[in-house]
Amino acid sequence: MAHIVTLNSPVREDWLQQLADVVTDPAELLQLLGLEQHPELAAGHAARQLFALRVPRAFIQRMRHGDAGDPLLLQVLTSRQEFTDAPGYTTDPLDEQSSVVPGLLHKYKNRALLLVKGGCAVNCRYCFRRHFPYQDNQGNKRNWQAAIDYIAAHPELDEIIFSGGDPLMAKDHELAWLIAALEQIPHLKRLRIHSRLPVVIPARITETLCQLLADTRLQVLVVSHINHAQEIDDALRARLQLLKRSGVTLLNQSVLLRGVNDNADTLAELSNALFDAGILPYYLHVLDKVQGAAHFFVSDTEARALMRQLLSRVSGYMVPRLAREIGGEPSKTPLDLQLRQE
């Protein structure tokens, strides 16, 4: 068990307040950024009917005022391109909408995904679960208990992945209940938490949460979801240090997105910013073909070319694995093996 080191200044436990005070109107978001007169951006407002807009103000503060091509804005702003009915794109690109028990996906032999909560602090427009039936997989103690019973009955499982939605939408006392139950299952070794919430609301990394993760017998990994170096600010760096001092391993996964990070220099800057913040680049995913997100697509050929360029720009340990997830496959499908062998 690790002993955490607190921040020098008092930690404000205000993440729930920030979570409640988010922007949900595309017009307000554009107005805050001085872009309300931009016709192309304004034309996408109706896409909120397809997938609600939701973005915390702490994340908006990292966007560049007056820049219609800001990489953070493009990830969250509604677009009229979302109405395009693109061939090959579906509402369930990873074949996930049949869980073994509500909220539990046993996708891989040794690990299972527990969809702790269905909501997110931010709605990313490329989200592969934007059409997921969360109403049938609600994050509550009844469903969690059914998942725990399933996990206990399957000794091949040694790792549980908290996913969602966003698992850190659960309050600290709910996570404490879950972790206490899981650590009683002897064949479990690791707990992995995939979350974007600390990125968009750094205050979510509370001292209470860090102490909880420090005290569990399980090895804890937190996988952040950061796509651009601009997402990493001083507030996030400070909270990440709390996690590191609690003995948590920090990894990152990104999605390769047209117009956001489809550039080798941008990817190199991201890898450097991640490593400087104490996070190891883990995966770079090609886009999951979810209906409404085709305008973000970068082809495999382009993706491999970018990775080849990235290999010449940063040290090998800062190069993420280029991968795709295919529904029903026993693992991620690497797309960069040939690059690493050349």
Side-chain angles (χ1 to χ4, degrees):
M1 295 183 184
H3 297 284
I4 71 170
V5 179
T6 61
L7 292 169
N8 292 330
S9 58
V11 176
R12 293 179 60 205
E13 308 286 340
D14 63 353
W15 72 274
L16 287 169
Q17 179 181 343
Q18 292 189 42
L19 187 63
D21 183 25
V22 297
V23 173
T24 59
D25 184 348
E28 181 185 0
L29 177 58
L30 293 181
Q31 184 177 27
L32 288 170
L33 296 170
L35 292 168
E36 64 271 25
Q37 301 300 322
H38 197 289
E40 179 63 27
L41 299 183
H45 289 356
R48 65 191 296 192
Q49 301 167 8
L50 302 175
F51 186 41
L53 182 136
R54 181 181 179 87
V55 54
R57 296 180 190 275
F59 195 61
I60 297 171
Q61 290 172 0
R62 283 168 256 172
M63 298 177 186
R64 294 189 291 259
H65 193 272
D67 183 358
D70 180 84
L72 278 58
L73 174 64
L74 294 179
Q75 294 179 57
V76 301
L77 183 64
T78 50
S79 168
R80 62 181 177 181
Q81 293 173 292
E82 295 177 50
F83 287 97
T84 301
D85 188 10
Y89 287 72
T90 72
T91 58
D92 184 18
L94 303 185
D95 297 327
E96 288 187 331
Q97 295 181 14
S98 57
S99 49
V100 290
V101 298
L104 187 72
L105 305 174
H106 192 170
K107 299 172 66 170
Y108 313 117
K109 181 178 180 181
N110 76 305
R111 54 208 187 275
L113 278 78
L114 180 58
L115 305 181
V116 177
K117 291 290 182 180
C120 288
V122 63
N123 283 350
C124 302
R125 308 313 296 179
Y126 52 86
C127 179
F128 67 92
R129 290 193 183 130
R130 59 185 284 170
H131 305 286
F132 190 81
Y134 288 110
Q135 69 277 5
D136 300 326
N137 296 271
Q138 295 184 16
N140 54 47
K141 286 187 178 180
R142 181 181 65 182
N143 286 343
W144 293 343
Q145 186 60 60
I148 289 163
D149 293 342
Y150 178 94
I151 294 164
H154 286 77
E156 72 272 21
L157 292 171
D158 61 17
E159 180 174 358
I160 296 302
I161 301 170
F162 282 0
S163 186
D166 196 308
L168 292 186
M169 292 286 280
K171 298 180 178 67
D172 289 343
H173 71 86
E174 294 177 302
L175 293 171
W177 186 92
L178 264 174
I179 292 172
L182 290 172
E183 63 186 3
Q184 298 305 310
I185 301 174
H187 52 262
L188 290 184
K189 298 178 180 179
R190 290 175 295 277
L191 170 64
R192 197 187 329 163
I193 302 172
H194 283 240
S195 180
R196 188 147 165 78
L197 211 162
V199 179
V200 296
I201 302 179
R204 178 60 189 97
I205 302 300
T206 63
E207 290 182 0
T208 301
L209 174 63
C210 290
Q211 194 64 61
L212 172 64
L213 300 181
D215 288 344
T216 180
R217 73 162 182 86
L218 300 171
Q219 294 175 299
V220 181
L221 303 91
V222 170
V223 183
S224 56
H225 178 178
I226 302 171
N227 296 317
H228 195 280
Q230 191 178 318
E231 298 177 38
I232 303 173
D233 64 359
D234 289 341
L236 178 58
R237 292 186 193 96
R239 298 307 174 110
L240 292 173
Q241 286 306 306
L242 282 178
L243 287 174
K244 286 185 69 68
R245 293 166 189 168
S246 304
V248 174
T249 298
L250 300 180
L251 305 174
N252 184 71
Q253 61 178 9
S254 305
V255 180
L256 187 58
L257 300 168
R258 174 74 63 195
V260 173
N261 57 11
D262 56 331
N263 175 280
D265 290 334
T266 300
L267 292 173
E269 184 181 1
L270 172 60
S271 285
N272 275 287
L274 289 168
F275 198 77
D276 290 347
I279 308 173
L280 191 66
Y282 173 42
Y283 272 127
L284 176 63
H285 293 282
V286 295
L287 184 74
D288 296 314
K289 292 188 174 182
V290 63
Q291 195 63 253
H295 54 291
F296 288 112
F297 180 68
V298 177
S299 72
D300 288 5
T301 299
E302 292 175 279
R304 289 191 178 98
L306 286 170
M307 291 301 289
R308 190 171 286 109
Q309 296 172 51
L310 181 61
L311 283 165
S312 68
R313 284 167 168 76
V314 299
S315 301
Y317 53 83
M318 289 198 288
V319 179
R321 297 292 305 274
L322 180 66
R324 161 180 287 113
E325 185 161 0
I326 301 173
E329 291 296 311
S331 68
K332 299 284 195 300
T333 300
L335 302 180
D336 59 352
L337 286 179
Q338 182 177 356
L339 292 176
R340 291 171 186 268
Q341 292 169 354
E342 288 177 349

